[in-house]
């Protein structure tokens, strides 16, 4: 905890609405933003965003959401402009897929000439999203784009904290953005992972995940009087097991959690709440549940997932859920797993029956991604110097 | 301090045809994409250069950079979806940007931290920079850095109109094994070079592009690897490698030859 990095601003756009208040209110009132199996940002929300940010009118939805979330976070943190010693780390798995998906399909069908196809070709490079976002923000400092599947944003937050810790940058804006696309939806459907109804993580009757759209960003800086919370540790691991399925015993997930605790100089008993990846897929919830129960034992901390509320925005999920955790730290509330009615008896974790109003010292935030990519963060209410509650 | 223990380069299908055929015949690589095989060959090559067994990478951090990712597989997934109305799960899981690294982790039992990054023409440099950060911060003792781009032959006609005159795309992959001084000493490995810094110019910065150019987006790592190899007999000392990109940007990598 000696090197905890302050979170001084947060912002988000999700299927629950614009801003972190909309997200938090949905979570505490158990109001899901999922409709017909997906968490799309509604046309009303898009119209409101376009009206609010006319300078981003020419951008894709992925950038519009990111821009709005960044503006909310930086305003929250009191950052008026970006400097050359500020950093930007963007997480995404599909970037601005809408700029090339339809054109590529038309080209593959022979309905678009190579010259016309070439106009969108460069957007096939994932880094184009970062280039466009940097340009929109007139951002001149160090940047990076992380594309490590569902762990991407959690990695981005951790790497941003490391950049701030090391002095590589003075401040860092970190987060992720993700939109729905035919490629992603049909791909996940082919893997038989999608739930037609609202996901019910950790439930015995769970039927899969809900893909969703979101952008969420956080402002990171050295210890600050404006700190909302702290990133006090992080850990990463790889399963080396399967391209899309997690290790069934959650072996890699457990190593990531252990590394995060070690990095924060904490022990399992210091954790109040594990905000789980908890997608609602059979394999994820079993693996993550096993990892948590193996690490914490039978009397571990509260464990819950909020995917029922906001769905799974893949590369942005770690940022969206971290933003939600920061709000919960501020409100002293541990969220229950909305939608959970019959806990899976094979997952031996400590489910809160209702939202728990109680002081929170530290939250362990997990993500598990395709490629066996695991990342965990420790989010703390206070820095070590201020003392833990 | 971050040292280079070994470098490896994949120079295209024709240069490695025998090895690719051998890999393709093995059960572990039966469903591997061209990207996965190219990355594996570059890693094999780097391990050989470093006198490390592949198994010694198990705890290493891995950073993989690719601008276009598994574009060939993505294209095939989209083609079957668009033309045959069939979404093929195996194609989808291999089409993901981090699918290459997911495969490598299984194949090589890589259990340490793993990151996939993408940054257009700076993709190779950004992968190297992240590896440098991981070693310099003390978070890792050893890191495997890979950067590759293999273009989809089906989509190539869309890229050609964008290329300046005398500029050619050429598929490639490279791997560099980085280690801390303590690791190199404990393993009795003689480092080839020390990486001092990696810097990329602003995307808004422009210079005249080189007159004749063969490239792939993430070729920065390969150019660092080639420079280290070509300077192996040079006197020790600091060198600055400046890499000019086709879009007028440039990167600068400072090396200390040992």
């Amino acid at each position: 905890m000696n090197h905890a990095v302050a979170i001084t601003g947060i912002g988000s756009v999700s299927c629950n609405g614009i801003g972190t208040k909309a997200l938090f209110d949905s979570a505490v009132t158990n109001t899901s933003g999922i409709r017909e199996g997906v968490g799309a940002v509604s046309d009303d929300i898009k119209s409101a965003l376009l009206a609010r940010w006319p300078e981003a009118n020419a951008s894709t939805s992925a950038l519009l959401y990111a821009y709005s979330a960044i503006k909310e976070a930086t305003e929250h943190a009191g950052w008026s402009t970006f400097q050359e010693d500020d950093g930007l780390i963007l997480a995404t798995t599909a970037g601005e897929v809408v700029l090339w998906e339809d054109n590529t399909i038309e080209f593959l069908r022979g309905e678009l000439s190579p010259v016309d196809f070439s106009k969108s070709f460069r957007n096939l490079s994932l880094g184009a999203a970062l280039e466009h976002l940097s340009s929109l923000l007139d951002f001149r400092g160090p940047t990076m784009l992380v594309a490590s599947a569902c762990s991407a944003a959690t990695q981005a937050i951790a790497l941003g904290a490391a950049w701030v810790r090391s002095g590589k940058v003075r401040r860092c804006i970190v987060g992720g953005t993700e939109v729905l696309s035919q490629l992603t939806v049909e791909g996940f459907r082919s893997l038989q992972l999608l739930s037609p109804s609202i996901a019910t993580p950790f439930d015995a009757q769970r039927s899969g995940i809900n893909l969703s759209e979101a952008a969420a960003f956080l402002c990171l800086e050295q210890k600050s009087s404006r700190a909302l919370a702290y990133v006090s540790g992080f850990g990463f691991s790889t399963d080396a097991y399967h391209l899309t399925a997690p290790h069934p015993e959650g072996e890699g997930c457990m190593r990531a959690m252990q590394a995060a605790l070690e990095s924060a100089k904490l022990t399992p008993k210091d954790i109040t709440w594990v905000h789980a990846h908890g997608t609602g897929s059979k394999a994820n919830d079993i693996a993550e549940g096993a990892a948590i129960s193996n690490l914490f034992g039978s009397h571990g901390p509260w464990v819950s997932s909020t995917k029922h509320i906001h769905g799974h925005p893949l590369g942005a999920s770690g940022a969206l859920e971290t933003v939600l955790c920061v709000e919960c730290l501020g409100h002293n509330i541990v969220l229950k797993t909305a939608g959970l009615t019959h806990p899976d008896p094979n997952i031996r974790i400590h489910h809160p029956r209702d939202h728990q109003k109680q002081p929170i010292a530290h939250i362990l935030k997990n993500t598990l991604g395709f490629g066996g990519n695991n990342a965990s963060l420790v989010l703390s209410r206070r820095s070590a110097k201020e003392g833990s509650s | 301090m971050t040292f280079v223990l070994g470098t490896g380069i994949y120079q295209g299908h024709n240069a490695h045809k025998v090895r690719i055929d051998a890999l393709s015949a093995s059960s572990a690589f039966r469903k591997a994409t061209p990207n996965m095989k190219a990355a594996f060959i570059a890693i094999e090559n780097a391990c050989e250069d470093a006198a490390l067994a592949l198994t010694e990478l198990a705890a290493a951090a891995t950073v993989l950079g690719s601008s276009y990712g598994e574009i060939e597989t993505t294209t095939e997934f989209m083609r079957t979806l668009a033309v045959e109305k069939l979404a093929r799960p195996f194609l989808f899981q291999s089409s993901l940007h981090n699918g290459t690294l997911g495969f490598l982790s299984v194949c090589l039992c890589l259990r340490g931290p793993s990151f996939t990054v993408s940054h257009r023409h700076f993709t190779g440099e950004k992968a190297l920079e992240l590896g440098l950060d991981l070693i310099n911060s003390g978070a890792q003792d050893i890191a495997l850095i890979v950067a590759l781009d293999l273009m989809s032959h089906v989509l190539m006609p869309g890229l050609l109109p964008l290329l300046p005159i005398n500029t050619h795309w050429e598929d490639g992959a490279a791997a560099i094994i980085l280690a801390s001084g303590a690791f190199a000493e404990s393993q009795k490995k003689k480092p080839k070079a020390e990486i001092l810094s990696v810097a990329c110019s602003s995307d808004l910065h422009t210079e005249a592009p080189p007159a004749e150019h063969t490239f792939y987006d993430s070729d920065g790592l390969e150019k660092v690897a080639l420079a280290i190899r070509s300077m192996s007999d040079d006197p020790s000392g600091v060198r600055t490698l400046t890499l000019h990109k086709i879009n007028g940007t440039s990167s600068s990598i400072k090396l200390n030859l040992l």
Side-chain angles (χ1 to χ4, degrees), chain A residues 3 5 159-170 222, chain B residues 133 136-137:
Chain A
H3 300 291
V5 169
L159 293 175
W163 280 12
V164 171
R165 262 185 198 178
S166 69
K168 179 172 182 158
V169 297
R170 188 170 59 95
Q222 290 287 2
Chain B
D133 287 346
N136 283 347
S137 68

Side-chain angles (χ1 to χ4, degrees), chain A residues 272-274 302-304 328 331-336 352 354-360 363:
Chain A
T272 311
W273 176 24
V274 177
W302 296 119
V303 181
S304 58
C328 290
H331 288 83
N332 284 315
I333 188 166
V334 174
L335 297 170
K336 69 172 186 176
D354 292 299
H355 302 321
Q356 304 292 314
K357 188 79 179 159
Q358 65 173 86
I360 303 172
I363 299 173

Side-chain angles (χ1 to χ4, degrees), chain A residues 32-50:
Chain A
S32 177
I34 305 300
R35 304 284 181 273
E36 297 176 2
V38 295
V41 170
S42 70
D43 289 343
D44 287 349
I45 295 174
K46 280 182 200 166
S47 299
L49 288 170
L50 289 169

Side-chain angles (χ1 to χ4, degrees), chain A residues 117-186:
Chain A
F117 176 48
S118 72
K119 290 171 187 162
S120 61
F121 189 90
R122 274 306 197 178
N123 297 311
L124 276 155
S125 167
L126 198 54
L130 177 60
E131 223 169 66
H132 297 158
L133 182 62
S134 299
S135 177
L136 185 61
L137 295 167
D138 195 23
F139 196 92
R140 306 294 181 109
T143 57
M144 184 161 284
L145 185 143
V146 184
S148 307
C150 305
S151 292
T154 309
Q155 288 191 340
I157 294 167
L159 293 175
W163 280 12
V164 171
R165 262 185 198 178
S166 69
K168 179 172 182 158
V169 297
R170 188 170 59 95
R171 311 178 300 187
C172 199
I173 182 90
V174 293
T177 189
E178 209 74 84
V179 291
L180 292 167
S181 70
Q182 193 183 346
L183 177 63
T184 316
V185 173
E186 293 307 324

Side-chain angles (χ1 to χ4, degrees), chain B residues 74-202:
Chain B
T74 304
T75 304
E76 184 57 11
F77 177 77
M78 292 176 78
R79 191 196 64 76
T80 54
L81 184 62
V83 179
E84 300 169 19
K85 309 290 181 204
L86 186 67
R88 294 168 61 188
F90 187 78
L91 285 177
F92 177 67
Q93 68 178 22
S94 298
S95 77
L96 304 171
H97 214 88
N98 78 327
T100 319
L101 186 44
F103 172 83
L104 293 171
S105 73
V106 175
C107 169
L108 293 166
C109 290
L110 302 172
R111 299 169 75 244
S114 59
F115 307 86
T116 296
V117 299
S118 186
H119 211 289
R120 291 280 287 258
H121 298 290
F122 294 139
T123 296
E125 288 88 336
K126 287 291 174 179
L128 183 62
E129 182 187 346
L130 178 49
L132 195 63
D133 287 346
L134 290 167
I135 302 283
N136 283 347
S137 68
Q140 289 292 316
D141 273 334
I142 178 166
L144 168 65
I145 317 302
V146 184
L148 76 158
D149 273 300
L150 276 65
M151 185 46 65
S152 156
H153 297 293
V154 177
L155 300 188
M156 185 61 105
L159 173 63
L160 294 177
L162 300 174
L163 300 181
I165 295 169
N166 295 328
T167 299
H168 313 281
W169 176 281
E170 195 167 275
D171 292 349
I176 290 184
I177 299 169
L178 301 177
S180 65
F183 180 90
E185 196 175 309
S186 70
Q187 301 297 308
K188 297 185 170 46
K189 302 292 181 194
K190 185 180 181 310
K192 323 276 183 202
E194 179 188 357
I195 306 278
L196 298 173
S197 65
V198 179
C200 302
S201 72
S202 156

Side-chain angles (χ1 to χ4, degrees), chain A residues 98-381:
Chain A
V98 295
L99 287 179
W100 55 265
E101 187 177 52
D102 289 346
N103 282 3
T104 304
I105 289 171
E106 284 176 31
F107 178 72
L108 291 170
R109 284 179 176 152
E111 297 164 359
L112 196 67
S113 73
V115 171
D116 285 336
F117 176 48
S118 72
K119 290 171 187 162
S120 61
F121 189 90
R122 274 306 197 178
N123 297 311
L124 276 155
S125 167
L126 198 54
L130 177 60
E131 223 169 66
H132 297 158
L133 182 62
S134 299
S135 177
L136 185 61
L137 295 167
D138 195 23
F139 196 92
R140 306 294 181 109
T143 57
M144 184 161 284
L145 185 143
V146 184
S148 307
C150 305
S151 292
T154 309
Q155 288 191 340
I157 294 167
L159 293 175
W163 280 12
V164 171
R165 262 185 198 178
S166 69
K168 179 172 182 158
V169 297
R170 188 170 59 95
R171 311 178 300 187
C172 199
I173 182 90
V174 293
T177 189
E178 209 74 84
V179 291
L180 292 167
S181 70
Q182 193 183 346
L183 177 63
T184 316
V185 173
E186 293 307 324
F188 273 84
R189 197 190 311 282
S190 75
L191 294 174
Q192 300 183 320
L193 287 174
L194 298 186
S195 172
S197 52
I198 304 177
T200 54
F202 302 126
D203 198 280
Q205 303 300 318
R206 66 190 181 281
S207 55
I209 74 173
N210 304 127
L211 293 174
S212 66
E213 300 184 302
F217 282 82
L218 302 92
C219 294
L220 304 180
E221 48 194 308
Q222 290 287 2
K223 289 188 177 64
S224 161
S225 58
R226 302 176 72 112
L228 307 169
Y230 291 85
V231 178
S232 49
F234 42 81
F236 315 111
S237 73
T238 309
D239 284 352
Y241 175 74
H242 189 268
L243 250 64
T244 52
H247 186 284
E249 294 296 317
E251 187 273 341
C253 174
M254 189 166 100
R255 282 189 290 117
M257 289 191 287
Q258 285 172 323
L261 289 173
E262 191 179 325
S263 153
K265 297 183 168 49
L266 297 174
T267 64
K269 67 177 173 45
D270 295 315
I271 299 298
T272 311
W273 176 24
V274 177
H275 188 290
H277 190 53
T279 60
S281 81
K282 297 279 183 200
N284 176 91
D285 293 3
I286 282 283
E288 189 178 13
I292 293 167
S293 60
N294 285 338
L295 179 61
F296 290 96
S298 55
H299 300 289
W302 296 119
V303 181
S304 58
S305 160
T306 53
K307 294 279 197 301
H308 179 92
I309 302 299
H310 49 66
H312 187 5
L314 303 177
S317 67
L320 188 72
E321 292 168 18
T322 298
V323 160
L324 187 53
C325 285
V326 171
E327 279 289 301
C328 290
L329 277 164
H331 288 83
N332 284 315
I333 188 166
V334 174
L335 297 170
K336 69 172 186 176
T337 300
L340 175 63
T341 52
H342 298 95
D344 186 334
N346 297 312
I347 302 173
R348 291 182 292 278
I349 53 177
H350 198 191
H351 301 288
R353 278 177 178 269
D354 292 299
H355 302 321
Q356 304 292 314
K357 188 79 179 159
Q358 65 173 86
I360 303 172
H362 308 283
I363 299 173
L364 188 62
K365 168 78 210 100
N366 284 341
T367 47
L368 290 77
F370 281 178
N373 201 312
N374 308 291
S376 297
L377 295 174
V378 177
L379 304 164
S380 303
R381 184 176 180 78

